[in-house]
Amino acid sequence: MISAFARAAGMSNDTVRFYVRRGLLHPAHGSKGGANPYQLFGPDQLARARMIRTAQALGFSLREVAALIAEYEGGMSPERTREVTASQLDRLDRQAEALDRMRRHLRAKLAWLDAGATGSPPTLDDSATPLTEFGPALTSATSTMSPIA
């Protein structure tokens, strides 16, 4: 049933229904429920839901996730699997570098504040890659932050 599955997957009932409508999740249909039979979700669907949420948290769009799922279900060749995996790893490595840069900056800012905030505050390296290159997850997370000098 949707509510138990949603709790186990850490998402709302509406999100589960949305993923089903988009074809990202494929529940089995039970015999109970009349005109609207119960949707039954197994462990494979729970693993898929968690993978979708993780991919989204890392900046992948639902369109990208859906395309990968469709390709995977269609039987990706080992060459294509390697290509996709290498691309995902590269993207994650770039995100990790950007997050490490931000972490170093925030530590420097805290040290500057703890030392009395004298002199110029630390700034992000202007030559570094902007966070917007890494997708909506980082962009939206940083757009809601207060300005950092």
Side-chain angles (χ1 to χ4, degrees), residues 7-23:
R7 272 192 306 277
M11 57 184 67
S12 71
N13 294 353
D14 288 339
T15 300
V16 173
R17 288 185 188 99
F18 177 75
Y19 287 173
V20 170
R21 281 193 310 273
R22 292 282 306 258

Side-chain angles (χ1 to χ4, degrees), residues 58-60 64 84 86-102 104 128-135 138:
L58 294 172
F60 291 88
E64 290 171 314
V84 168
S87 174
Q88 289 174 330
L89 182 59
D90 180 58
R91 184 176 186 168
L92 293 175
D93 285 343
R94 288 183 291 130
Q95 286 178 336
E97 289 170 14
L99 290 171
D100 284 344
R101 194 176 108 245
M102 180 59 80
R104 285 190 305 274
T129 306
L131 294 177
T132 54
E133 177 181 324
F134 302 106
L138 286 176

